Amino acid sequence: MAEKAAVSDRVLTVPNAISLARLLLVPVFAVLIATGEDGWAFLVLAVSGASDWLDGVLARRLGQVSKLGQMLDPAADRLFILVTLIGLAWRDVVPWWLLVAIVLRDLLLLGMLGVLARRGYGPLPVHLAGKAGTFALLYAFPLLLLAEWPAPVGTVALVLGWAFAWWGIALYWFAGVLYVVQAWHLLSADARGADVRAVP
C-alpha cells in the first residue's frame, strides 16, 4: 500500500532521465552491432544493463517512483532486448529460436494486457521473477557478444552468457505464466461479480 501511495505524476526525475537515455541508446546499439563495432556495442550493452538496475534503486531511494517511470523502464527493457536479439541473431551470435522464444512471450502478454484494458484494468504489478529474468537477459547479451572474442575470454564469456540466457528465458516465461494466472483470477472474479449483480 505504501509503495502505491508513493507513485507520483512527476516527469522530470533522475530515474526517468536514465530510462530515457537507455531508450536513446537503442538505435546507437543497433548501428554499432550492424557495423561490426563490437567493442563499443559491448560497452553500450553493459551500460544499459547497469543503468536498468540503477534507475530502480534511485527511484526508491530518492522517492521518485512515477507513473511515467513505470512505463518508461519496462519499455526500455523490452525494446533493448528485442533490438539486441535481432542484432545478435542477424550476426549469428545467437540462434533465431532465442528471438522467437522472447517475442512469443511478449506477444502473449501484450494480448493479455489488451483484454485487461477492455475490462478497465491497468498493467499488472511487476513480479520479481520477471525483473530477474530481464536482468539475466540484459547481462547475457554483452557476455554472448564478448564470446566472439578469442579464448580464454571468449570461452568464459560463452559459458557465462548462455548460463544467464537460459536462466533469463526460464524466469521470463515463468513470470509470463504468473501474469496470465493473475489476469485469469481478475477476469474470473469480474465475471462472478457480474453474475451476482445480474441476479434479480
Side-chain angles (χ1 to χ4, degrees):
M1 297 299 290
E3 184 179 351
K4 291 184 180 179
V7 177
S8 72
D9 293 320
R10 295 178 62 187
V11 174
L12 299 177
T13 66
V14 173
N16 288 353
I18 294 174
S19 294
L20 180 59
R22 291 178 60 225
L23 282 170
L24 295 176
L25 283 176
V26 172
V28 174
F29 171 78
V31 171
L32 291 173
I33 197 70
T35 56
E37 296 288 344
D38 289 357
W40 287 107
F42 172 80
L43 180 61
V44 169
L45 277 178
V47 168
S48 174
S51 61
D52 182 43
W53 168 82
L54 181 62
D55 66 358
V57 171
L58 289 177
R60 291 186 293 272
R61 291 190 177 178
L62 298 177
Q64 295 184 351
V65 179
S66 66
K67 293 178 181 178
L68 178 61
Q70 290 179 333
M71 292 187 294
L72 274 181
D73 184 46
D77 289 344
R78 300 294 180 272
L79 191 56
F80 228 114
I81 287 174
L82 177 62
V83 172
T84 303
L85 276 173
I86 292 174
L88 294 181
W90 181 66
R91 287 274 306 278
D92 290 326
V93 175
V94 300
W96 283 98
W97 65 258
L98 183 59
L99 171 63
V100 173
I102 299 300
V103 171
L104 279 179
R105 184 268 195 186
D106 284 342
L107 288 176
L108 172 66
L109 294 192
L110 186 62
M112 182 194 69
L113 288 175
V115 173
L116 289 174
R118 286 196 295 271
R119 299 291 186 92
Y121 292 105
L124 297 173
V126 176
H127 286 287
L128 178 60
K131 198 64 177 176
T134 300
F135 277 146
L137 291 174
L138 289 175
Y139 289 139
F141 297 145
L143 287 168
L144 291 174
L145 184 59
L146 194 61
E148 296 292 287
W149 292 17
V153 174
T155 303
V156 174
L158 180 65
V159 173
L160 291 176
W162 274 108
F164 274 110
W166 279 113
W167 272 107
I169 293 170
L171 289 170
Y172 210 61
W173 271 96
F174 176 67
V177 171
L178 291 179
Y179 290 133
V180 170
V181 170
Q182 187 176 353
W184 175 262
H185 286 316
L186 282 174
L187 296 174
S188 297
D190 194 34
R192 287 194 298 270
D195 290 341
V196 171
R197 289 190 297 270
V199 175

